[in-house]
Amino acid sequence: MSLPQGVRAGLLVGAVALALVPLSGDRFWVQFAGKLMITCIYAVSLDLLVGYAGLVSLGHSAFFGLSAYLLAGLANGLGLVSPLATLPLCLAFAGLAALLIGWLSLRATGVYFVMVTLAFGQMLYYLFSESPGLGGSDGVSILQRPRLAVLGRTILDLGDRTAAYAAIWVALVLSFLLLRRVVQAPFGHVLTAIRINEGRMRTLGYGTGRYKLAAFVLGGVLAGLAGYLDATLYGFVNPAQFGWRQSGLVLVTVLLGGKGTLYGPALGAALLSVLEHFAERATEHWSAVVGAAVIAVVLFLPRGVAGLLEGSRG
Amino acid sequence: MAEALLETEGLTRRFGALAAVDGVTLRVERGTVHAIIGPNGAGKSTLLNLLSGELRASSGRVRFRGEDVTRAPPDVLSRKGIGRSYQTANVFPELTCAESVWLAAHSRNAGRLFQPRRDGADTAAREEDALRACGLSGRRLSRAAELSYGEQRQLEVAMMLATDPELLLVDEPLAGLGHDEARMVLALLREVAQQRTLVLIEHDMDAVFAVAQTVTVLVNGRVLESGPPAAIRASPRVREAYLGEEEP
Ligand SMILES: Nc1ncnc2c1ncn2[C@@H]1O[C@H](COP(=O)(O)OP(=O)(O)OP(=O)(O)O)[C@@H](O)[C@H]1O
Ligand SMILES: [Mg+2]
């Protein structure tokens, strides 16, 4: 379960390189790399479900969207701007939603689980895009970004792009390290074994439902973190963030990168972001280019890009 | 009469029109080996699945240590002290023997979701003992998928032992084993039976009559006869319905 040597070095280099991006002073690239890191958090949060617990969720965007919308609501409706208040509230809300949706969807297994999670995501999509009170199909602008002030002096303003970028970087590093710990702990081993043979785990005495629900909630909280950061970076939320396209895209990212490795999906998120960026410039049919790349990886690298790296290990 | 560890009363399981287990009333005494024999399709494995909670009974009751556990799910029954192994190897192909047996041993501490990384000498010792007892010490780091069929069966038994059950439900532990492996597993079961209670399904009659104190004959889901091995061997009904076809 330990990381291949080259991967460990690559992750360090990647983290340092990302930390240096703001030095370029280029607004576009800072925004681009910020978004890329948010996608990484999103993807590793789903990898816990798909790659470890074997729960293929097509409703993961629900938690991203709920947390992002709650931030907009707290800022616009209540004028709550301190991240010390909004961050815990948004994460707790995402976690509670995951508890409820997970509790209901985990009654189904296999493809039915996929369908139920998909249905929850779509329900929220329609709810938010068709309720004017919730912003409707246009979405909502966040009037005040999270800002931390002590005695009237602002010490952290996430409306500032560089500050937001730094916060995203820290969040990515912490999320990754947290998930590494979780999957290497007994809890992670139990999840893996449940994925392989759930029936046997039950006769060995494991209440497998509780483990799967715990994984679902933890994944939901981290997706909520990604949503919070996304809303902070862009100052804007919209109902498409709930849609199945978003959930599908993260799932593709996880599979492309290599599920069950954590670093694979993070790598997948980075690769897809870069590929999309350049394909978008080269041709208006860029989504076809990205699609072809995805098909090629799925056909020729069944374990994703990570499988390629692990395969080359001594 | 010794104390009953496990009792069933009119236990029935239907699959559509077929009553695979049909009104079975059993009494398994603490500290004994209780064998269940019967022709293919008699309902032996289905009965075991009812006892381990993997199948729901259509009607009837199960009591374990005097407590009604008819509706208890398999994980609860496992933690109450009922372990089982399967007729065909039911293992974790991608996990190593050490990991598989560790999971089994660790399940005794699995009351909480997040436990410390290593849960003490106790788990490690149980893991080690179970692997050694089943002759798998040399295969610690082999994945279950790389094991021979016989070794997978041994791993199956090792996982069951590592959960430290009071009652063992063992479904044809010797099937598919070579001569030496079968002797080893049989010796192991006898040793285990010194301190625990076994419900044993087995087609090898020599093995059954060598280890069991009680034999129940199941035919078409019903109990045909139940009693000490000598009585079962002598019973004309059993000879006619089942044993007769195997003896010269
Ligand atoms: N899940 C199921 N659905 C439908 N029928 C089943 C199911 N499981 C078992 N049966 C049927 O129930 C009957 C008893 O099966 P069971 O596996 O319990 O027999 P057995 O005594 O263990 O046989 P064997 O010696 O071959 O292992 C068989 O007729 C079988 O086809
Ligand atoms: Mg059977």
Side-chain angles (χ1 to χ4, degrees):
Chain A
M1 281 274 220
S2 68
L3 290 172
Q5 271 300 308
V7 170
R8 184 181 293 268
L11 285 174
L12 274 174
V13 170
V16 171
L18 284 168
L20 297 178
V21 169
L23 296 183
S24 73
D26 186 312
R27 290 180 44 165
F28 173 80
W29 286 113
V30 173
Q31 184 103 348
F32 176 84
K35 177 69 182 174
L36 182 152
M37 291 192 292
I38 290 170
T39 316
C40 284
I41 298 177
Y42 207 0
V44 294
S45 75
L46 184 62
D47 193 29
L48 179 67
L49 301 193
V50 176
Y52 292 89
L55 298 170
V56 180
S57 169
L58 264 182
H60 206 51
S61 60
F63 314 115
F64 183 102
L66 284 174
S67 168
Y69 265 82
L70 182 62
L71 176 64
L74 291 172
N76 297 358
L78 301 178
L80 206 54
V81 294
S82 168
L84 293 183
T86 54
L87 182 61
L89 282 173
C90 290
L91 296 192
F93 186 52
L96 271 177
L99 189 65
L100 181 68
I101 292 180
W103 184 70
L104 291 168
S105 350
L106 284 168
R107 278 143 206 277
T109 54
V111 71
Y112 298 99
F113 174 79
V114 180
M115 299 306 291
V116 175
T117 53
L118 175 65
F120 275 112
Q122 287 304 90
M123 246 169 62
L124 289 168
Y125 169 72
Y126 287 114
L127 176 69
F128 278 84
S129 64
E130 285 170 18
S131 313
L134 295 170
S137 56
D138 293 339
V140 182
S141 285
I142 297 172
L143 304 177
Q144 301 185 72
R145 314 277 179 98
R147 188 173 68 229
L148 186 61
V150 176
L151 302 172
R153 281 194 51 210
T154 299
I155 56 171
L156 175 69
D157 180 5
L158 294 180
D160 173 64
R161 184 165 294 136
T162 312
Y165 187 90
I168 295 168
W169 188 88
V170 170
L172 172 59
V173 169
L174 291 182
S175 305
F176 191 82
L177 293 178
L178 171 73
L179 284 177
R180 286 272 314 156
R181 272 201 86 106
V182 167
V183 302
Q184 288 181 323
F187 178 74
H189 294 295
V190 171
L191 277 188
T192 301
I194 289 174
R195 184 190 75 226
I196 298 173
N197 190 344
E198 179 168 3
R200 193 67 178 101
M201 283 300 273
R202 294 201 73 192
T203 46
L204 287 179
Y206 290 93
T208 55
R210 297 190 315 147
Y211 284 88
K212 292 195 290 185
L213 186 57
F216 198 86
V217 169
L218 181 55
V221 168
L222 290 177
L225 176 62
Y228 180 94
L229 295 169
D230 192 77
T232 299
L233 183 66
Y234 288 97
F236 180 70
V237 295
N238 75 84
Q241 289 168 334
F242 287 107
W244 63 270
R245 285 199 52 180
Q246 282 307 316
S247 292
L249 208 59
V250 212
L251 187 57
V252 166
T253 307
V254 169
L255 299 180
L256 189 82
K259 67 182 162 67
T261 58
L262 293 184
Y263 71 85
L267 201 64
L271 286 176
L272 260 188
S273 302
V274 172
L275 180 66
E276 206 175 280
H277 173 70
F278 287 105
E280 205 170 11
R281 291 192 166 182
T283 159
E284 57 182 300
H285 305 298
W286 60 273
S287 38
V289 174
V290 173
V294 169
I295 293 171
V297 169
V298 170
L299 286 182
F300 299 112
L301 299 173
R303 284 159 62 222
V305 178
L308 200 64
L309 299 175
E310 305 226 332
S312 64
R313 179 160 47 150
Chain B
M1 207 183 213
E3 183 195 355
L5 180 62
L6 180 84
E7 289 170 290
T8 72
E9 221 180 273
L11 197 60
T12 299
R13 170 68 200 210
R14 288 186 207 88
F15 296 114
L18 171 79
V21 170
D22 193 359
V24 168
T25 298
L26 274 185
R27 191 186 145 86
V28 178
E29 284 166 15
R30 195 186 289 270
T32 63
V33 175
H34 190 131
I36 296 176
I37 64 173
N40 291 115
K44 305 180 296 292
S45 297
T46 304
L47 175 61
L48 231 53
N49 286 334
L50 291 171
L51 299 180
S52 66
E54 283 157 280
L55 280 177
R56 280 279 179 103
S58 305
S59 60
R61 323 209 64 66
V62 182
R63 265 194 302 278
F64 181 61
R65 289 202 210 106
E67 179 191 357
D68 189 321
V69 295
T70 314
R71 300 239 158 262
D75 52 307
V76 170
L77 290 176
S78 168
R79 290 199 298 274
K80 282 188 191 296
I82 300 182
R84 80 161 292 184
S85 74
Y86 292 80
Q87 184 168 353
T88 49
N90 188 353
V91 293
F92 303 96
E94 292 98 321
L95 301 187
T96 65
C97 291
E99 286 167 337
S100 308
V101 176
W102 176 82
L103 277 168
H106 177 72
S107 70
R108 299 306 100 175
N109 315 345
R112 293 163 297 150
L113 279 180
F114 298 98
Q115 309 89 3
R117 170 125 194 80
R118 280 281 157 188
D119 29 23
D122 204 27
T123 302
R126 266 210 300 277
E127 172 190 328
E128 208 42 65
D129 288 350
L131 280 173
R132 184 161 8 86
C134 297
L136 289 171
S137 292
R139 296 296 247 155
R140 285 184 57 90
L141 299 179
S142 307
R143 290 181 195 285
E146 296 160 4
L147 302 179
S148 71
Y149 184 71
E151 286 171 325
Q152 290 190 5
R153 303 301 316 271
Q154 287 162 252
L155 176 59
E156 178 77 38
V157 175
M159 287 196 293
M160 171 178 64
L161 290 181
T163 63
D164 196 19
E166 184 178 5
L167 172 70
L168 290 78
L169 309 173
V170 193
D171 200 347
E172 301 198 23
L174 307 183
L177 296 192
H179 183 67
D180 292 343
E181 292 162 330
R183 277 183 48 162
M184 192 192 75
V185 170
L186 191 61
L188 174 65
L189 290 178
R190 282 179 116 146
E191 191 194 314
V192 166
Q194 305 280 308
Q195 298 131 45
R196 300 167 209 249
T197 310
L198 249 77
V199 173
L200 169 71
I201 296 177
E202 185 47 59
H203 275 299
D204 179 340
M205 287 307 130
D206 294 334
V208 166
F209 289 119
V211 299
Q213 280 88 49
T214 311
V215 179
T216 294
V217 185
L218 212 60
V219 176
N220 292 329
R222 291 165 184 269
V223 175
L224 182 75
E225 196 90 65
S226 196
I232 295 298
R233 239 185 183 138
S235 157
R237 285 166 69 199
V238 174
R239 298 186 76 98
E240 186 191 334
Y242 180 48
L243 290 180
E245 42 187 65
E246 295 197 351
E247 301 216 337

